[in-house]
Amino acid sequence: MKQLYLIHEHHPRLLLFFAGWGADETPFRTYRPAGSDYMICYDYRSLDFDPTPLSGYREIHVVGWSMGVWAAARVLPALRLPVGRTIALNGTPYQMDDLRGIPAAVFRGTLEGLCGASLHKFLRRMCTDTAAFRRFLAVSPRRPLEELREELAATLQREESRQPAPVPTFFQEAVIGANDRIIPAANQRRAWEEAGARIVLTDDAHYTERIFFTLPGSPMDQRLIAKRFARARNTYDRAAQVQRAVAAKMLRLVQAYSSGEEGRQMVEVGCGTGIYSRLLCQELHPGQLLLNDLCPEMEACVGDLPARFQAGDAECLPLPPQTHLITSCSALQWLVHPQRFFRHCHTSLANGGLLAFSTFGPDNMLQIRQLTGNGLTYLSLQELKDRLSPPFRLLHAEEERVTLCFDTPLTVLRHLKETGMTGTGKQLWTRRRLQAFCDGYLHRCATPDGHVSLTYHPIYIVAQKTSETP
């Protein structure tokens, strides 16, 4: 087994990540857990594991993905390590098992037919769709095919003998993707129900960038996001010029596709400081309006509006039944599982009700992601349309790109801070790192007149509830 540090800064905490079959560190380099060292394990031709480098840690969080769940469940329980959270992602302690893992015929068939073409097909089946597959290919592992064959053969031999025996109860939490086409979701659920693990169901495939949002210290740390938006609430309205224009356009779209009747029940998700909320109240005159935001402090910003406020994660928000309009502006990119949210909205909307929202697409703040490696995983317009239809009928879908110009890279960072858009960034800005960022930004993003640019990628969607069950 190979063990490789991706972050080794002598933190008291370690994230120990067991990757899947055929993996190396390439797809996982951009994940940056907060306040933690980060070691990746892969290549299970041998299960020899050296615990010596782990002796100084106060706490070790263990995450296994795919075959990594199987490997961790065999290696770690016998070691005396200060293990904290243990999370299994789309895997079980039984790598080959007709009821609790990959069916034996499928596993053996994969090994016997392994070649370049079959590997390509396997990797495609791991991903949600063609767009996700293309993104994965850009960071896919580069190990020789013969190594992968040897790894499968060694796993098969161990599974047939069940030596060493798995410890199913090692993992406390299990994340299961309903669209997993590698390890059947039903088999995963059966394995973890037997083990007594806490199960989290998602809409994901076997591999997706978004699955890593469930990890300790992930970039979608809800508390950190809420904290940074709370800090920015006094500067947001002044700095959020793109979001203000997006809100005005979103209102026009809602007016164009709604019935225009006043006094209806409406919900706004991710209301923030209330830029869009005020337009809704002034122009649509809802009978009942529920405003939601992840950040509880935003209630003070919208307290003057005739609305009820409820803080919390929109994916779990109790929505009033028979709602006529569920809308959101520049917020849904923060959702971990958007398809789950869309189903939630479909259940709560009245027949013919509208789900109208703006979010941001893959080119959003591309300059920042290229320079720092930090940022959200944005869904494309097509990916959003695919997740909505069915059960929604798409009435409107478009995207645009807006470029802002700033005097210097430092004013770009100030803009991000004033709008709360640093919610995924966890690096410490040392003088050296800040200088490298500024130099890189000037090199990549300078405009002909000596300024620097920042791209926004708004997406606008209006969809109508149909009677079809999601």
Side-chain angles (χ1 to χ4, degrees):
M1 183 186 309
K2 291 184 172 60
Q3 299 167 235
L4 176 67
Y5 271 110
L6 296 183
I7 299 176
H8 195 193
E9 299 173 349
H10 305 290
H11 293 282
R13 183 185 300 111
L14 172 71
L15 174 66
L16 184 59
F17 178 67
F18 283 74
W21 168 62
D24 61 16
E25 72 277 12
T26 311
F28 313 107
R29 282 190 175 278
T30 58
Y31 174 65
R32 311 293 293 179
S36 174
D37 284 354
Y38 175 23
M39 175 184 282
I40 185 172
C41 305
Y42 63 91
D43 189 356
Y44 306 126
R45 290 177 292 173
S46 163
L47 290 183
D48 293 339
F49 180 87
D50 180 11
T52 306
L54 282 56
S55 60
Y57 291 104
R58 282 206 307 264
E59 185 177 43
I60 299 174
H61 295 311
V62 179
V63 176
W65 169 62
S66 190
M67 188 184 283
V69 177
W70 168 86
R74 281 162 170 72
V75 168
L76 297 182
L79 303 177
R80 299 175 62 85
L81 297 174
V83 174
R85 290 181 67 186
T86 52
I87 305 174
L89 305 177
N90 284 340
T92 81
Y94 310 95
Q95 183 64 17
M96 186 181 74
D97 192 292
D98 288 343
L99 297 177
R100 298 171 295 181
I102 298 175
V106 175
F107 193 98
R108 291 191 174 95
T110 302
L111 175 58
E112 292 168 1
L114 186 62
C115 62
S118 67
L119 178 62
H120 186 86
K121 183 177 180 180
F122 178 90
L123 297 178
R124 173 63 182 85
R125 287 176 59 81
M126 286 201 321
C127 301
T128 306
D129 51 29
T130 302
F133 179 49
R134 289 197 190 101
R135 292 197 298 271
F136 176 72
L137 287 180
V139 294
S140 61
R142 298 291 187 265
R143 289 174 56 194
L145 186 66
E146 187 55 37
E147 279 192 12
L148 308 193
R149 183 178 289 109
E150 292 171 359
E151 191 173 5
L152 274 185
T155 305
L156 175 62
Q157 183 178 8
R158 294 189 187 97
E159 282 294 88
E160 288 177 332
S161 63
R162 284 279 156 86
Q163 294 294 327
V167 180
T169 54
F170 175 75
F171 284 97
Q172 307 151 349
E173 305 171 57
V175 180
I176 302 174
N179 294 308
D180 193 328
R181 294 188 291 167
I182 303 300
I183 305 177
N187 286 13
Q188 293 184 52
R189 185 159 192 164
R190 188 178 294 111
W192 295 119
E193 285 176 346
E194 289 180 5
R198 184 174 72 86
I199 296 173
V200 177
L201 298 175
T202 76
D203 301 310
D204 293 316
H206 189 69
Y207 170 86
T208 173
E209 303 100 319
R210 301 178 70 82
I211 199 169
F212 298 101
F213 295 162
T214 63
L215 302 191
S218 78
M220 292 295 277
D221 186 326
Q222 301 280 356
R223 289 172 297 178
L224 179 61
I225 292 168
K227 183 178 180 180
R228 291 190 172 165
F229 274 109
R231 287 178 178 172
R233 65 189 186 277
N234 294 324
T235 56
Y236 183 88
D237 286 4
R238 181 185 72 249
Q241 50 186 300
V242 171
Q243 291 87 341
R244 188 178 295 279
V246 168
K249 181 168 182 174
M250 197 68 242
L251 178 71
R252 293 195 297 272
L253 290 172
V254 169
Q255 290 174 314
Y257 288 99
S258 66
S259 62
E261 298 177 24
E262 297 182 1
R264 293 196 158 200
Q265 184 160 270
M266 302 178 188
V267 174
E268 183 194 354
V269 169
C271 67
T273 59
I275 291 175
Y276 184 47
S277 314
R278 284 178 168 75
L279 296 177
L280 293 174
C281 290
Q282 292 165 9
E283 301 298 330
L284 300 185
H285 307 290
Q288 296 180 41
L289 176 61
L290 171 63
L291 299 178
N292 154 262
D293 198 87
L294 180 65
C295 177
E297 290 85 351
M298 295 305 179
E299 183 172 11
C301 299
V302 296
D304 60 313
L305 297 178
R308 178 169 65 91
F309 179 88
Q310 186 167 349
D313 183 351
E315 294 183 27
C316 310
L317 180 70
L319 297 175
Q322 298 300 303
T323 295
H324 299 98
L325 171 67
I326 299 175
T327 189
S328 179
C329 196
S330 304
L332 295 194
Q333 67 274 9
W334 299 102
L335 295 181
V336 176
H337 304 295
Q339 194 163 4
R340 180 192 299 171
F341 173 73
F342 296 153
R343 288 202 305 263
H344 186 33
C345 291
H346 188 275
T347 301
S348 300
L349 281 168
N351 287 334
L354 295 183
L355 172 62
F357 64 90
S358 70
T359 183
F360 292 104
D363 288 344
N364 200 59
M365 299 190 181
L366 187 62
Q367 298 91 336
I368 303 296
R369 294 208 312 279
Q370 289 174 339
L371 284 168
T372 68
N374 291 323
L376 302 177
T377 300
Y378 297 95
L379 295 177
S380 68
L381 177 60
Q382 186 59 52
E383 287 171 323
L384 287 165
K385 290 162 68 175
D386 291 343
R387 283 159 172 76
L388 283 162
S389 179
F392 286 94
R393 182 167 68 93
L394 285 170
L395 304 179
H396 186 93
E398 69 166 301
E399 61 187 334
E400 60 188 14
R401 285 163 181 81
V402 180
T403 300
L404 297 184
C405 289
F406 297 87
D407 291 336
T408 67
L410 289 178
T411 55
V412 174
L413 290 179
R414 187 177 305 118
H415 168 77
L416 299 180
K417 183 177 181 180
E418 290 177 347
T419 54
M421 297 301 289
T422 57
T424 63
K426 297 175 180 175
Q427 73 269 35
L428 296 175
W429 285 100
T430 63
R431 181 176 298 179
R432 182 176 179 180
R433 180 170 288 169
L434 185 61
Q435 186 61 53
F437 172 84
C438 291
D439 292 344
Y441 211 105
L442 286 168
H443 177 70
R444 289 171 176 254
C445 313
T447 62
D449 60 359
H451 294 82
V452 291
S453 62
L454 178 66
T455 300
Y456 279 86
H457 183 185
I459 291 175
Y460 305 87
I461 288 181
V462 181
Q464 186 174 44
K465 175 177 177 174
T466 67
S467 58
E468 189 170 344
T469 302

